[in-house]
């Protein structure tokens, strides 16, 4: 019982980060039908920003907003340089483009910075824990969960209460008709990339705090988690993406603590297997979207 | 106010419009009728910026608007109620109306929202209901209300009575009449030719991508050569029951949805 409660808290912490990543993937997919395999690069860029600024002696309090800002700007830049040119192309073209962006950004860091893993200081409180009864709770997980909840509330208000949010939802449902209403495609698509970058930036701060290092290929794992969680949730459904992230986080933690030690290192593999089963029995993901029309 | 000259539009190698021309004067209600596949939707889509025509010119209030994007067109004052309504099923009635007013300032939008609530009583009752739950007639009113939210100077409608029960068809034509009496400028595509001719000042007949006739309702209904266009409406005015051989009967986006 205690172990289960412990697992749930650990899993929610992990799943919250996945949820933010997946939500960013889903927002862009919704308006553009683009499954963005370059999503992790937003964290890679943030990681190098962290490396250089922390290396210069700046504190995490200043570095945190810089990471978020760099993710937003990178997201907008990628849209401008790459994705704006393939708007309205086939899903496959979009997918290939995002792979291209992923490889180009990794290659830039590989060529012009370094191929090796570079460590940086983690905030001192990251490994602190506190006890609630028999439970041992990480300060880090607590912060992650609280910030994620606040971020999700903020995102919900943005989507429900503002004209921009309404435009985004209308465009995700039927892009052409939204344009007929006067919704500007540039506004919606750039807005979606900015929001996606913001969410990735927030997730990236936590990801990097825990990792304490950066390398050119550091974006791959968070990208895979985000894309997988979005797929689990049913691509295009924002609520589904959040649920998918939490489910993925919980599944990983529960499996890791339940599997016999000898195969615990195979957790990832087992998770993939479960996801494969999910897609066999429920190919549309956990939450169904009726339609998502491309530009 | 609106001038369309020599409009040609293609889907791949198929020409859906071949040099179509029409004009709409300020305050006029103009009908556009013709059989299935005549190119009516293509014509409205080309005016609204959803398609870029291969040839021809569209001017609105003296400005050349050919090939502009739909969002620019809407800002120029032209709104389209699209074929099949295309309301946002997951958004509430109110949200659908709001998005229709995305280009107008917030204060004006609030004013227009109140106006729509007053005009469309059935919508007022379902204000917070996702629009996917509306009946066909309610959805059509929402689609028209949504287009009115942009305060357009020219309102185009593509088959507003399509798929509606007879009483609701009456309602749509009543609404067109009301809008006409308010002095609005309308360009309406209708399968229901006879009813449309009754409420319009003038009409154009489109066939195989070309305007083959135009004139007042009276003039057009006396033209025997246009008979096939009106089968099922003038001859058998009880709409909703397409006569044999009527274009309505042959499916493809038309008729009995
Ligand atoms: N997306 C498309 N791709 C290829 N051909 C098309 C497409 N849309 C329409 N067409 C063709 O263009 C022609 C004109 O179609 P359009 O939809 O404009 O006719 P319409 O007069 O609106 O007919 P309806 O009464 O059925 O709405 C038809 O022959 C149709 O088959
Ligand atoms: Mg049509």
């Amino acid at each position: 019982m205690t172990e289960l409660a412990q697992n749930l808290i650990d899993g929610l912490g992990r799943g919250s980060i996945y949820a933010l990543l997946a939500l960013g993937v889903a927002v862009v997919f919704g308006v553009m039908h683009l499954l963005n395999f370059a999503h992790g690069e937003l964290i890679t860029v943030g990681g190098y920003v962290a490396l250089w600024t922390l290396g210069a002696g700046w504190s995490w309090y200043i570095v945190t907003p810089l990471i978020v800002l760099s993710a937003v700007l990178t997201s907008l830049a990628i849209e401008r340089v790459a994705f704006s040119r393939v708007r309205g192309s086939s899903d496959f073209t979009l997918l290939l483009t995002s792979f291209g962006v992923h490889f180009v950004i990794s290659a830039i860091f590989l060529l012009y910075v370094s191929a090796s893993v570079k460590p940086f200081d983690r905030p001192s409180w990251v490994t602190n824990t506190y006890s609630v009864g028999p439970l041992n709770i990480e300060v880090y997980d607590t912060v992650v969960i609280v910030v994620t909840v606040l971020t999700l509330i903020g995102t919900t208000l943005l989507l429900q209460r503002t004209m921009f949010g309404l435009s985004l939802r209308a465009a995700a449902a039927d892009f052409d008709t939204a344009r007929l209403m006067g919704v500007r495609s540039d506004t919606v698509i750039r807005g979606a990339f900015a929001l996606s970058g913001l969410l990735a930036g927030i997730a990236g701060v936590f990801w990097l705090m825990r990792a304490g290092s950066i390398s050119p290929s550091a974006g791959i794992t968070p990208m895979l988690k985000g894309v997988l969680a979005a797929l689990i949730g049913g691509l295009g459904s924002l609520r589904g993406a959040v649920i998918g992230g939490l489910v993925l986080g919980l599944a990983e933690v529960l499996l890791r603590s339940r599997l016999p030690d000898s195969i615990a290192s195979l957790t990832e593999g087992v998770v993939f297997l479960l996801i494969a089963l999910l897609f066999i029995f429920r190919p549309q993901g956990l939450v169904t979207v009726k339609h998502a029309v491309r530009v | 106010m609106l001038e369309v000259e020599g409009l040609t539009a293609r889907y791949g190698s198929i020409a859906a419009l071949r040099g179509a021309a029409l004009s709409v004067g300020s305050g006029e209600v103009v009908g556009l009728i013709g059989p299935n596949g005549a190119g009516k939707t293509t014509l409205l889509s080309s005016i609204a910026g959803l398609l870029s025509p291969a040839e021809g010119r569209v001017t609105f209030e003296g400005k050349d608007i050919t090939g502009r994007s739909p969002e620019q067109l809407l800002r120029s004052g032209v709104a389209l109620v699209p074929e099949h309504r295309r309301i946002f099923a997951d958004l509430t009635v109110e949200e659908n109306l709001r998005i229709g007013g995305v280009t107008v300032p917030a204060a004006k939008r609030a004013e227009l929202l109140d106006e729509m609530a007053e005009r469309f009583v059935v919508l007022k009752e379902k204000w917070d209901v996702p629009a996917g739950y509306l009946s066909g007639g309610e959805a059509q009113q929402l689609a028209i209300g949504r287009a009115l939210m942009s305060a357009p100077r020219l309102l185009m409608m593509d088959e507003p009575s399509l798929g509606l029960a007879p009483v609701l068809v009456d309602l749509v034509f009543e609404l067109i009449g009301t809008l006409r009496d308010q002095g609005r400028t309308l360009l309406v595509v209708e399968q229901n030719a006879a009813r449309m001719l009754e409420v319009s000042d003038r009409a154009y007949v489109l066939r195989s991508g070309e305007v083959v006739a135009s004139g007042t309702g009276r003039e057009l209904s006396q033209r025997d050569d246009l008979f096939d266009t009106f089968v099922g409406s003038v001859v058998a005015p009880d709409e909703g029951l397409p006569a044999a051989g009527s274009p309505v009967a042959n499916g493809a986006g038309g008729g009995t949805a």
Side-chain angles (χ1 to χ4, degrees):
Chain A
M1 187 57 219
T2 308
E3 196 195 348
L4 184 64
Q6 186 75 51
N7 287 163
L8 284 180
I9 294 170
D10 297 346
L12 281 181
R14 192 183 271 252
S16 293
I17 297 178
Y18 297 168
L20 293 178
L21 289 167
L23 189 54
V25 169
V27 162
V28 165
F29 185 85
V31 295
M32 234 186 131
H33 255 209
L34 160 70
L35 190 53
N36 189 3
F37 281 95
H39 198 59
E41 270 46 59
L42 306 178
I43 292 185
T44 310
V45 172
Y48 283 99
V49 167
L51 176 70
W52 293 320
T53 51
L54 289 166
W58 298 18
S59 93
W60 267 100
Y61 292 103
I62 302 169
V63 172
T64 294
L66 290 180
I67 292 174
V68 176
L69 185 67
S70 69
V72 172
L73 295 179
T74 305
S75 189
L76 286 170
I78 291 174
E79 192 279 330
R80 182 64 69 87
V81 174
F83 294 129
S84 67
R85 291 166 211 279
V86 289
R87 265 188 214 173
S89 305
S90 71
D91 293 4
F92 188 61
T93 306
L94 293 171
L95 202 67
L96 284 185
T97 308
S98 81
F99 266 114
V101 171
H102 158 74
F103 285 119
V104 167
I105 294 182
S106 316
I108 288 173
F109 286 110
L110 197 69
L111 288 173
Y112 298 104
V113 184
S114 164
S116 59
V117 177
K118 300 276 184 189
F120 49 76
D121 289 337
R122 306 198 288 180
S124 55
W125 51 266
V126 158
T127 47
N128 292 357
T129 57
Y130 60 96
S131 309
V132 179
L135 298 177
N136 221 356
I137 301 176
E138 292 193 21
V139 175
Y140 172 83
D141 277 338
T142 316
V143 174
V144 168
I145 293 169
V146 169
V147 171
T148 299
V149 168
L150 293 177
T151 305
L152 293 180
I153 292 173
T155 307
T156 306
L157 289 177
L158 177 78
L159 291 174
Q160 298 289 338
R161 298 284 164 82
T162 67
M163 276 318 276
F164 167 71
L166 192 54
S167 304
L168 197 79
R169 285 189 292 142
D174 183 344
F175 208 98
D176 273 348
T177 305
R179 294 181 74 196
L180 267 184
M181 301 298 118
V183 171
R184 287 196 164 104
S185 34
D186 278 347
T187 310
V188 165
I189 291 178
R190 285 179 199 151
F193 273 90
L195 177 59
S196 173
L198 178 72
L199 296 166
I202 295 170
V205 167
F206 294 127
W207 191 279
L208 295 163
M209 277 181 173
R210 168 136 286 181
S213 68
I214 188 68
S215 71
S217 58
I220 292 180
T221 313
M223 178 275 286
L224 278 179
K225 305 293 185 188
V227 168
L228 270 180
L231 283 169
I232 293 171
L235 255 183
S237 157
L238 304 185
R239 199 182 315 133
V242 173
I243 295 170
L246 296 177
V247 166
L248 184 60
L250 285 167
E252 284 183 5
V253 169
L254 286 171
L255 281 173
R256 182 153 293 160
S257 79
R258 293 289 187 289
L259 289 177
D261 283 349
S262 54
I263 57 164
S265 57
L266 294 179
T267 308
E268 302 266 295
V270 176
V271 169
F272 274 102
L273 194 71
L274 289 177
I275 291 168
L277 287 176
L278 169 77
F279 287 128
I280 290 170
F281 292 107
R282 216 182 140 74
Q284 71 277 39
L286 292 175
V287 179
T288 319
V289 231
K290 271 156 265 148
H291 41 233
V293 175
R294 208 186 320 126
V295 186
Chain B
M1 185 179 216
L2 178 79
E3 305 281 343
V4 176
E5 299 158 53
L7 211 61
T8 298
R10 295 192 184 89
Y11 295 105
S13 60
I14 307 160
L17 283 181
R18 311 152 199 258
L22 59 77
S23 71
V24 181
S26 183
E28 249 189 331
V29 174
V30 174
L32 182 59
I33 53 187
N36 277 116
K40 305 179 298 294
T41 298
T42 306
L43 183 49
L44 291 198
S45 300
S46 304
I47 298 172
L50 285 172
L51 289 173
S52 12
E55 284 162 42
R57 218 158 76 100
V58 182
T59 51
F60 180 67
E61 296 177 334
K63 278 176 300 188
D64 190 337
I65 55 167
T66 322
R68 287 203 193 168
S69 70
E71 50 262 54
Q72 286 172 324
L73 245 295
L74 196 280
R75 284 178 174 75
S76 314
V78 182
L80 169 66
V81 181
E83 194 171 32
H84 309 305
R85 318 189 243 285
R86 297 180 68 165
I87 55 172
F88 300 105
D90 293 336
L91 306 190
T92 65
V93 167
E94 186 195 354
E95 287 172 336
N96 267 277
L97 292 170
R98 271 184 191 283
I99 199 75
V102 69
T103 56
V104 302
K108 172 88 181 178
R109 193 185 310 133
E111 212 174 275
L112 283 163
L113 263 184
D114 289 342
E115 198 183 310
M116 295 309 144
E118 221 168 281
R119 188 195 290 264
F120 301 104
V121 184
V122 282
L123 297 183
K124 176 75 196 165
E125 285 162 10
K126 305 206 168 168
W127 213 236
D128 298 316
V129 175
Y133 291 107
L134 298 185
S135 70
E138 293 163 349
Q140 187 59 59
Q141 294 181 59
L142 179 58
I144 295 172
R146 186 179 65 174
L148 290 173
M149 282 295 295
S150 68
R153 295 191 292 287
L154 169 66
L155 178 63
M156 304 192 291
M157 301 188 209
D158 197 345
E159 308 217 25
S161 75
L162 188 70
L164 297 184
V167 262
L168 296 169
V169 172
D170 292 345
L171 191 93
V172 165
F173 282 103
E174 235 168 72
L175 186 61
I176 293 174
T178 314
L179 292 171
R180 179 194 57 201
D181 296 343
Q182 290 175 342
R184 290 191 184 260
T185 312
L186 305 178
L187 174 58
V188 185
V189 165
E190 254 300 331
Q191 200 71 246
N192 231 315
R195 296 291 296 272
M196 192 59 223
L197 292 179
E198 277 168 31
V199 294
S200 44
D201 299 307
R202 288 186 303 118
Y204 291 86
V205 181
L206 198 67
R207 193 187 289 159
S208 306
E210 283 170 283
V211 172
V212 294
S214 67
T216 63
R218 178 178 295 275
E219 289 161 4
L220 287 175
S221 11
Q222 285 163 353
R223 295 262 309 259
D224 283 349
D225 58 319
L226 299 173
F227 189 77
D228 69 334
T229 305
F230 302 128
V231 172
S233 42
V234 163
V235 177
D238 40 356
E239 59 283 320
L241 290 174
S246 147
V248 183
N250 60 21
T256 53

